Amino acid sequence: MKEILAKEVQQALEQGQPIHLIDVREVDEVEAGHIPGIIHIPLGLLEFRMHELNKNESYVVICRSGGRSGQAALFLESHGFNVMNMVGGMLAWHGEVE
């Protein structure tokens, strides 16, 4: 599984690079604060909603600490998606939050 640091994601966003972010946390967690522009798909629904994603795009998967996003990344990778797990999740995020 490929990984990316939160600060690398933040730098890319600040430089205006297009990054597709999938937040796999639960609704209440996302409502408490999330990175602007995320695609919100709770981990438990990923299997049923992965058709909403494009295999020609690359994605960064996010959760609170990196565990659930790691599971999601492995799952999506096994289905042919190009994904990276954001190490440390939102606990490591120091950028803008909505």
Side-chain angles (χ1 to χ4, degrees):
M1 169 181 43
K2 294 179 276 184
E3 296 181 323
I4 188 168
L5 299 174
K7 67 181 179 181
E8 293 174 309
V9 173
Q10 182 180 346
Q11 289 169 350
L13 289 171
E14 288 172 354
Q15 293 170 3
Q17 296 177 20
I19 296 187
H20 302 285
L21 305 170
I22 303 171
D23 195 321
V24 296
R25 296 177 297 156
E26 297 300 319
V27 173
D28 59 328
E29 294 175 286
V30 170
E31 288 177 352
H34 62 272
I35 300 169
I38 60 156
I39 300 166
H40 179 223
I41 304 177
L43 181 59
L45 299 178
L46 190 59
E47 173 182 1
F48 308 104
R49 291 186 52 197
M50 68 179 172
H51 69 275
E52 298 172 24
L53 306 174
N54 183 343
K55 289 186 179 180
N56 296 320
E57 302 284 349
S58 59
Y59 297 93
V60 174
V61 188
I62 303 162
C63 70
R64 180 179 174 272
S65 63
R68 285 175 285 176
S69 58
Q71 292 174 9
L74 288 172
F75 174 77
L76 289 171
E77 201 172 62
S78 74
H79 285 85
F81 289 93
N82 180 17
V83 295
M84 289 183 278
N85 181 33
M86 188 170 91
V87 178
M90 289 301 290
L91 293 176
W93 182 255
H94 300 292
E96 184 182 348
V97 175
E98 289 185 336

